[in-house]
Every structure is written in C-alpha cells, then in structure tokens.
C-alpha cells in the first residue's frame, strides 16, 4: 500500500511538473511568436528590419534574432557573424516552422556558439524569423516548476502513508486474529468464544465465521450427545426387554408348576373326594386367571412401548371414569369395602385412550385395596386448565418405606413378594399406570402421606402427543 501510494504520488508530481513546464514553455513561445510576427510584418511591408529591431522593445533582454531564408541560409543574426553560420534547414525549430508554420525547441545547444537557447521560429512568405533566448538565470527561473505544489503533494503523501500504516496495521491484526483462529480450529485446539473483532466489514465477516464455527461445533456436540442418548436408550430397552423376559419366565413358573401338579394329581387315577377334586380345579382356575392377567398386562405394556401410534384416542370425561370406580367399590363385601371420596368440582375432558385412562384409576384402586390396609380412597382435582389437568390419588393405609418409593413403578417389583402373589397381583399394575400417564403426555410421582398412606400425583395433557 505504501509503495502504491508513493508511486501514485510521484507519477502525479511528474505529470504535473511536465504539464506545468509545458504550459510555461507555451507561454514563453507565445510571447516570442508575437514578436516574430510583428517583425515578419515589417519585412513583408518592405521596411527595414534592422530599424525595427533597433527601435522596438524586445520581450526579453539578450534576445537573439535570426532571419533565415526558406532554403535555410541565415541572412541576419544580431549576435553572431553571418559568415560563421552554416545552413539552418535541419534545425528542429526551422523544420517544424516550415511544416507547421511555427515551431519551438527547448534547451537546445547552438552549434554556432555552443550556448543553450530556447528557440521559437515563425514562417513568413519569403523568410523565417527565429528568436532565441539563452538559458540564463532569468529564463531558468521562468521555466522552473512551482515547488510549493511538489511540497504539498509530498506532504499529502506523508499523511496518506501515516494513515495507510495505521489502517493496514489494524487490518493486519484482524487478519492475524482470524488466521490464528483458523489455525487452532484446523488443529482442533480449544478456542475462546469471546474472541472479538472490530466493528467493520472484515470484523463483521470474521465474527460471522467464528459464530458459524461454534454453531457447527455445537451441532456436532449435540449430535454426539443425541447419538449417545439414543444408544443408551437402545441399550436400556434391550436390558429392560431382557429383564422383562426373565421376570415373565420367573412369574410363569409358579402358576404353571402349580397347575401341572393339580392336573397330574387329577389325571393320576388316585381316588379323591369330590371336595378335594373341586379344590384342585379351583387352584387350576386361579392360576389360569393369574396367567391370563399377566399376559394381558404384558401385552398392554408392549403396546404402550412399541405401538403408541396405533392406540386410538377419543374425547373422555374423567368424571365418568371416577364414577365407575365408585360404583365398583360399592358392590364389594361390606367388610372389604373402601369408601371413595371424590373432590372434582368441575368436568374434566381430555383427548385420550379410554382403556388406558381407566387402567390408571383401576390399577391404583386395586393396588390400594390389595396392599394399603386402609379403608378410604381420596381422588382430587388439583389443577385444571386449557392444556393440563393434575389429579391426586391418596389412601389412608400404612404407606411404604422411603427406600421402596423410587422402585414402585418398576416391572414385577414387589415389597412383599409372598403376599403379592397370594393376592393374585402380576407386579405390572403400577408400571402400566406410569406408561399410561406418559402416553398422555404427563408425569406421575408417589410419596407417603404425613398421616399415613400413599399419595400419587399425576398430570394428563388435554391433547397429548404420544412419544
């Protein structure tokens, strides 16, 4: 930039100097040409040119005046003897005058006396008048360039150089910053997100590049995290399915073994009383019902996990489901009967699957009847708005130990395994509740009530998106 600036400045100075010198030369030539024409007019009028030269004022002192024939012979010269002068036909100013009518030559050395002159020649009808001004101090001053302009241009060049220096220095720092950033990015080194560039076009472009790079890095990181999460979820699904298979296998062994013993006894031919036969058949039926419930629950869980998009949805009034639960409790034997306390002050409608919503309330109710040891069930509407409804389900039983609370929603998890099997439970009821709530876009939590019993709080989305 500095070289370009100074080359431009010097070229302009040279051009301006040449132009100014040409202007001054033309001005000087115009003065001499005017004198030449007046002298030519005198000669053409037949008057004495010597008298004119002697009597009229010359434009410059020391002016050399020559009268030359069209053939180049000098017939008059006020400074040098004619006999010493050779033919001038080949002098540049004479040749130009013959061709153009007028001509001049700057700083040409005279062959006659060896002195440098400024020549100006004018063509007449019969002769050529040539005036010559020697390069004295006066003429040099006249043709000298205006150095104030040169000094002005040099000053401007210096100011431009200083400006260019600081501008390119700033630009160089920005480019160096960007280059350092690119080098570190290429090597994969840690980068400073706070790297800043000035508020100019290059800075704006650099900031965009940096932001795009960090966005790309974040996208790569998010992709890796998503991949790891997907991999973990897939591994977790495999683990859960494997665990589910093992648990189902374990759960099937007991009723199948019991049914096999009963059937083998009945088919052995041993004489049994009618009462004993009925007992064995009742045991077979009970274990068969247990197997049926187990298979039904496993099928429902599989549908919830793998076939959410195939489960239909319809408008549901939660109040009707609670009413059905209340009616089922009323037909229980009096000594086993639970009292339902429903606190639903308004109608709650959602878009969901009726069977799954019903399984939430029915499984919580069956779990309470089987294991709580209480006598009362409390269902309350905690919150109801355009997007969500939040419901509480409580009992007044004995509750569970705090360490067992986080595992209540696990498949086949039982606090008292022996008692649970005697009650005919499959160990999947609360797992189904959790999945049904999640299918409807909600969450469920469980805690012990301060006064005894369990409290289940769950939410349901009014228009859930199955995930």
């Amino acid at each position: 930039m500095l070289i370009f600036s100074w080359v431009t400045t010097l070229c302009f100075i040279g051009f301006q100097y040449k132009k100014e010198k040409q202007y001054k030369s033309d001005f000087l030539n115009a003065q001499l040409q005017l004198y030449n024409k007046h002298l030519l007019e005198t000669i053409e009028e037949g008057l004495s040119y010597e008298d004119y030269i002697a009597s009229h004022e010359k434009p410059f002192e020391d002016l050399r005046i020559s009268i030359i024939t069209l053939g180049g012979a000098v017939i008059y010269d006020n400074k040098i003897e004619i006999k010493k002068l050779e033919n001038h036909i080949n002098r540049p100013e004479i040749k130009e005058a013959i061709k153009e009518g007028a001509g001049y030559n700057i700083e040409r050395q005279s062959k006659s006396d060896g002195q440098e002159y400024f020549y100006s020649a004018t063509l007449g009808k019969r002769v050529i008048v040539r005036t010559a001004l020697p390069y004295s101090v006066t003429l040099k001053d006249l043709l000298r360039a205006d150095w104030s302009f040169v000094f002005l241009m040099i000053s401007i060049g210096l100011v431009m150089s200083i400006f260019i220096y600081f501008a390119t220095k700033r630009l160089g720092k920005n480019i160096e910053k960007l280059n350092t950033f690119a080098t570190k990015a290429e090597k994969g080194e840690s980068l400073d997100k706070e790297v800043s560039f000035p508020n100019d076009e290059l800075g704006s472009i650099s900031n965009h590049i940096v932001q795009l790079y960090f966005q790309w890095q974040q996208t790569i990181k998010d992709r890796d995290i998503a991949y790891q999460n997907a991999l973990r979820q897939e591994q977790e699904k495999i683990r859960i399915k494997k665990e589910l298979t093992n648990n189902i296998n374990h759960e099937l062994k007991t009723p199948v073994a019991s049914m096999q013993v009963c059937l083998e006894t009945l088919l052995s031919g041993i004489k049994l009383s009618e009462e004993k036969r009925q007992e064995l058949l009742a045991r077979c039926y009970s274990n068969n019902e247990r197997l049926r419930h187990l298979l039904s629950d496993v099928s429902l869980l599989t549908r919830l996990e793998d076939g959410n998009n195939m489960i239909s949805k319809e408008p549901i009034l939660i109040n009707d489901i609670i009413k059905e639960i209340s009616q089922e409790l009323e037909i229980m034997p009096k000594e086993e009967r639970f009292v339902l306390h429903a606190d639903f002050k308004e109608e709650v409608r959602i878009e969901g699957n009726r069977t799954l919503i019903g399984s939430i309330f029915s499984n919580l109710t069956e779990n309470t009847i089987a294991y709580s040891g209480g006598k009362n069930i409390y269902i309350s509407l905690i919150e109801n708005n355009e997007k969500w409804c939040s419901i509480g389900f409580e009992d007044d039983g004995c509750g569970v130990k705090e360490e067992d609370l986080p595992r209540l929603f696990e498949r086949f998890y039982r606090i008292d395994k022996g008692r649970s099997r005697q009650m005919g439970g499959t160990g999947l009821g609360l797992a189904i509740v959790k999945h049904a709530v999640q299918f409807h876009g909600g969450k469920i939590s469980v805690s012990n009530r301060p006064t005894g019993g369990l409290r289940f709080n769950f939410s349901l989305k009014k228009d859930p998106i199955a995930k």
Side-chain angles (χ1 to χ4, degrees):
M1 290 293 293
L2 287 172
I3 291 172
F4 174 77
S5 172
W6 277 108
V7 167
T8 303
T9 302
L10 292 175
C11 287
F12 188 77
I13 289 174
F15 171 78
Q16 190 65 24
Y17 173 79
K18 184 177 179 180
K19 187 176 180 181
E20 184 178 359
K21 188 175 182 180
Q22 181 69 36
Y23 170 77
K24 291 185 176 181
S25 298
D26 290 342
F27 179 75
L28 176 61
N29 179 58
Q31 290 179 291
L32 295 176
Q33 286 285 333
L34 183 62
Y35 181 81
N36 293 347
K37 288 178 179 179
H38 288 162
L39 183 55
L40 277 172
E41 289 175 358
T42 301
I43 294 170
E44 290 173 356
E45 289 175 0
L47 301 175
S48 172
Y49 53 81
E50 292 179 345
D51 292 340
Y52 181 87
I53 294 171
S55 61
H56 285 77
E57 183 180 359
K58 301 176 182 64
F60 299 99
E61 294 182 4
D62 297 329
L63 186 66
R64 178 185 170 186
I65 304 169
S66 302
I67 300 174
I68 304 164
T69 65
L70 297 179
V74 180
I75 59 175
Y76 176 81
D77 193 288
N78 67 337
K79 296 291 184 180
I80 302 173
E81 293 181 18
I82 297 174
K83 61 183 180 180
K84 294 181 180 180
L85 298 173
E86 61 184 25
N87 193 287
H88 280 39
I89 194 65
N90 290 321
R91 299 296 195 268
E93 66 278 5
I94 300 300
K95 291 171 70 175
E96 187 178 357
I98 292 173
K99 183 180 179 181
E100 302 293 339
Y104 71 92
N105 192 271
I106 303 173
E107 205 170 349
R108 183 177 69 79
Q109 188 179 33
S110 173
K111 293 182 181 181
S112 303
D113 61 2
Q115 189 175 355
E116 290 183 345
Y117 289 93
F118 180 97
Y119 293 97
S120 177
T122 308
L123 178 67
K125 293 179 180 180
R126 292 176 295 168
V127 294
I128 300 171
V129 173
R130 186 188 72 175
T131 50
L133 191 64
Y135 268 86
S136 60
V137 175
T138 304
L139 180 58
K140 288 180 180 179
D141 289 340
L142 180 64
L143 295 178
R144 182 180 294 121
D146 185 2
W147 288 104
S148 62
F149 170 77
V150 176
F151 292 140
L152 175 63
M153 289 303 300
I154 291 174
S155 301
I156 292 174
L158 288 172
V159 172
M160 287 177 61
S161 298
I162 295 171
F163 173 77
I164 289 172
Y165 171 76
F166 286 106
T168 53
K169 184 179 180 182
R170 182 183 182 191
L171 183 66
K173 285 184 178 180
N174 297 339
I175 295 175
E176 185 179 355
K177 277 185 181 182
L178 189 59
N179 184 52
T180 302
F181 176 85
T183 302
K184 287 185 176 182
E186 183 181 9
K187 294 180 180 179
E189 298 178 8
S190 60
L191 298 170
D192 185 10
K193 286 187 177 181
E194 300 301 323
V195 59
S196 60
F197 295 90
N199 189 23
D200 54 22
E201 289 185 0
L202 180 61
S204 177
I205 293 171
S206 301
N207 284 323
H208 281 306
I209 292 173
V210 172
Q211 292 301 319
L212 286 172
Y213 175 80
F214 282 118
Q215 288 176 9
W216 175 72
Q217 287 287 79
Q218 187 62 43
T219 301
I220 296 295
K221 188 182 294 184
D222 293 342
R223 182 203 65 185
D224 292 341
I225 292 173
Y227 174 76
Q228 292 296 330
N229 290 336
L231 186 61
R232 280 196 296 269
Q233 289 177 2
E234 187 63 26
Q235 291 174 343
E236 182 65 14
K237 281 185 178 181
I238 294 172
R239 185 193 67 79
I240 290 173
K241 286 184 178 180
K242 186 176 180 180
E243 182 181 333
L244 180 61
T245 302
N246 292 334
N247 288 333
I248 291 173
N249 183 50
H250 178 73
E251 291 294 326
L252 288 174
K253 284 181 179 179
T254 302
V256 169
S258 178
M259 290 173 64
Q260 184 174 358
V261 170
C262 292
L263 292 173
E264 286 177 353
T265 302
L266 290 171
L267 296 173
S268 64
I270 299 174
K271 290 185 178 180
L272 300 171
S273 63
E274 186 62 26
E275 184 181 350
K276 190 64 176 176
R277 287 173 60 85
Q278 290 297 325
E279 181 185 343
L280 293 174
L281 289 172
R283 286 174 60 185
C284 284
Y285 179 79
S286 175
N287 283 295
N288 181 72
E289 283 296 297
R290 183 179 171 187
L291 284 175
R292 187 175 66 80
H293 285 302
L294 178 63
L295 294 174
S296 176
D297 288 349
V298 169
S299 175
L300 182 57
L301 275 176
T302 303
R303 286 175 61 204
L304 283 170
E305 290 181 345
D306 299 332
N308 290 347
N309 294 330
M310 299 176 64
I311 299 175
S312 62
K313 302 179 183 69
E314 59 181 318
I316 301 169
L317 184 61
I318 300 294
N319 307 66
D320 291 343
I321 295 177
I322 295 174
K323 186 177 181 181
E324 291 173 4
I325 296 294
S326 177
Q327 292 172 351
E328 291 177 3
L329 291 175
E330 289 177 358
I331 62 174
M332 290 179 63
K334 190 173 182 180
E335 61 276 7
E336 300 177 4
R337 186 179 304 164
F338 271 70
V339 179
L340 176 63
H341 304 273
D343 184 14
F344 263 61
K345 297 179 180 178
E346 56 185 295
E347 290 186 346
V348 180
R349 297 181 182 275
I350 71 168
E351 189 77 15
N353 183 270
R354 184 176 181 82
T355 301
L356 293 181
I357 296 295
S359 69
I360 295 173
F361 289 95
S362 62
N363 277 299
L364 289 176
T365 301
E366 290 172 5
N367 189 74
T368 299
I369 294 171
Y371 310 116
S372 70
K375 285 294 182 182
N376 293 283
I377 296 175
Y378 305 92
I379 302 178
S380 58
L381 180 61
I382 299 173
E383 183 180 0
N384 183 37
N385 55 47
E386 294 181 357
K387 295 182 178 180
W388 298 89
C389 67
S390 182
I391 299 172
F393 189 102
E394 305 175 35
D395 65 70
D396 61 350
C398 58
V400 299
K401 296 179 181 179
E402 290 295 326
E403 59 267 24
D404 290 322
L405 286 175
R407 303 192 62 189
L408 285 183
F409 296 107
E410 293 181 11
R411 298 175 180 87
F412 299 108
Y413 181 75
R414 294 184 176 91
I415 298 174
D416 184 352
K417 293 180 175 57
R419 181 167 178 263
S420 296
R421 287 196 177 92
Q422 288 176 5
M423 298 299 294
T426 63
L428 296 173
L430 291 182
I432 291 173
V433 170
K434 178 182 177 181
H435 280 75
V437 170
Q438 291 176 342
F439 173 82
H440 289 86
K443 295 180 181 180
I444 186 168
S445 62
V446 60
S447 60
N448 281 310
R449 296 177 69 212
T451 56
L454 287 177
R455 175 192 290 120
F456 292 90
N457 287 336
F458 61 91
S459 60
L460 300 173
K461 202 172 182 181
K462 292 295 185 71
D463 186 14
I465 300 174
K467 295 183 180 179

